[in-house]
Amino acid sequence: MNNESYLTFALGKGRLAKNTLKMFEKIGITCRQMEDKDTRKLIFVNEDLKMRFFLAKGPDVPTYVEYGAADIGVVGKDTLLQERRNIYEVLDLGFGKCNMCVCGKEEAGNLLKHHEQIRVATKYPYIAKDYFYNVKKQTVEIIKLNGSIELAPIVGLSDVIVDIVETGSTLRENGLVVLEEVCKLSARMVVNQVSMKLENKRITKLIEDLKKVL
Ligand code: PRP
């Protein structure tokens, strides 16, 4: 197989990939190999379109794209802000909309107003650091966790958290509230910087086609 003639896509596993494939279908990009739910294959090819697709963990998508192992990636803006890779962000795909927020118990709101030295638990230390140090000018201690972030203020690990809020039900069910909004998030298309030059025609057409169905 001559890799150079294939456009390779890295898609964030799960809902992100499903929504991406649905959107791609609207512009005539399909991959039948991916429809087989029982397959253990990792990479799927559409020979007619000369396109290859693979699924990766969200935080790994920008890595594959930066190194050129994938020409194009689809990943959440939260992951892009956290991973800070040298890649082009070319399109807001409009799905996977949610907010990055500072959350905690209602009374923790006072700690934010008075710029106290507080503990912040998060899966996104760069985003939290940027927000507290550069935007709010508040000195904080960041504690990196890998999931179930809402636990931290409940069990007393941290004063607040910086985390994604989508429906708000995880917060509600755990007696927590949104205290401040950090930024809005959604799925983004990213492109390798060299691929953007070498495959400019195909990639530009893809972006233009997608814009029409957004
Ligand atoms: C995410 C996020 C929140 C939750 C927000 O967690 O970290 O916990 O979803 O969604 P909601 O506002 O609709 O309740 P995810 O389910 O990805 O798992 P994690 O807690 O292990 O990170």
Side-chain angles (χ1 to χ4, degrees), residues 9-13 17 20-21 24 34 53-57 61 73-74:
F9 294 78
L11 308 178
K13 267 183 193 171
T20 305
L21 292 172
F24 279 10
M34 277 184 115
F53 303 84
F54 65 85
L55 302 177
K57 287 231 177 198
V61 168
V74 174

Side-chain angles (χ1 to χ4, degrees), residues 161-174:
I161 60 174
V162 168
D163 200 21
I164 290 172
V165 179
E166 195 178 350
T167 61
S169 53
T170 311
L171 291 179
R172 268 193 303 278
E173 286 185 31
N174 292 289

Side-chain angles (χ1 to χ4, degrees), residues 89-100:
E89 183 186 325
V90 295
L91 201 57
D92 182 345
L93 295 171
F95 55 79
K97 280 190 178 157
C98 50
N99 292 321
M100 185 65 72

Side-chain angles (χ1 to χ4, degrees), residues 43-63:
I43 187 141
F44 308 93
V45 186
N46 182 327
E47 290 293 350
D48 298 332
L49 297 175
K50 286 275 180 279
M51 286 179 175
R52 309 193 301 171
F53 303 84
F54 65 85
L55 302 177
K57 287 231 177 198
D60 294 338
V61 168
T63 313

Side-chain angles (χ1 to χ4, degrees), residues 51 79 82 112 128-129 140 144 161 167 175 212:
M51 286 179 175
T79 305
Q82 174 58 29
L112 298 173
K129 242 182 229 168
V140 296
K144 163 89 162 70
I161 60 174
T167 61
K212 285 179 201 148

Side-chain angles (χ1 to χ4, degrees), residues 28-103:
I29 295 175
T30 52
C31 188
R32 286 184 61 194
Q33 286 186 1
M34 277 184 115
E35 288 161 20
D36 177 3
K37 298 278 172 276
D38 299 323
T39 186
R40 301 286 295 163
K41 265 175 84 107
L42 295 171
I43 187 141
F44 308 93
V45 186
N46 182 327
E47 290 293 350
D48 298 332
L49 297 175
K50 286 275 180 279
M51 286 179 175
R52 309 193 301 171
F53 303 84
F54 65 85
L55 302 177
K57 287 231 177 198
D60 294 338
V61 168
T63 313
Y64 283 108
V65 175
E66 183 182 78
Y67 283 89
D71 302 291
I72 294 171
V74 174
V75 70
K77 178 70 178 174
D78 50 317
T79 305
L80 293 180
L81 291 171
Q82 174 58 29
E83 296 299 319
R84 307 195 304 176
R85 293 282 175 181
N86 289 315
I87 50 183
Y88 294 133
E89 183 186 325
V90 295
L91 201 57
D92 182 345
L93 295 171
F95 55 79
K97 280 190 178 157
C98 50
N99 292 321
M100 185 65 72
C101 297
V102 181
C103 312

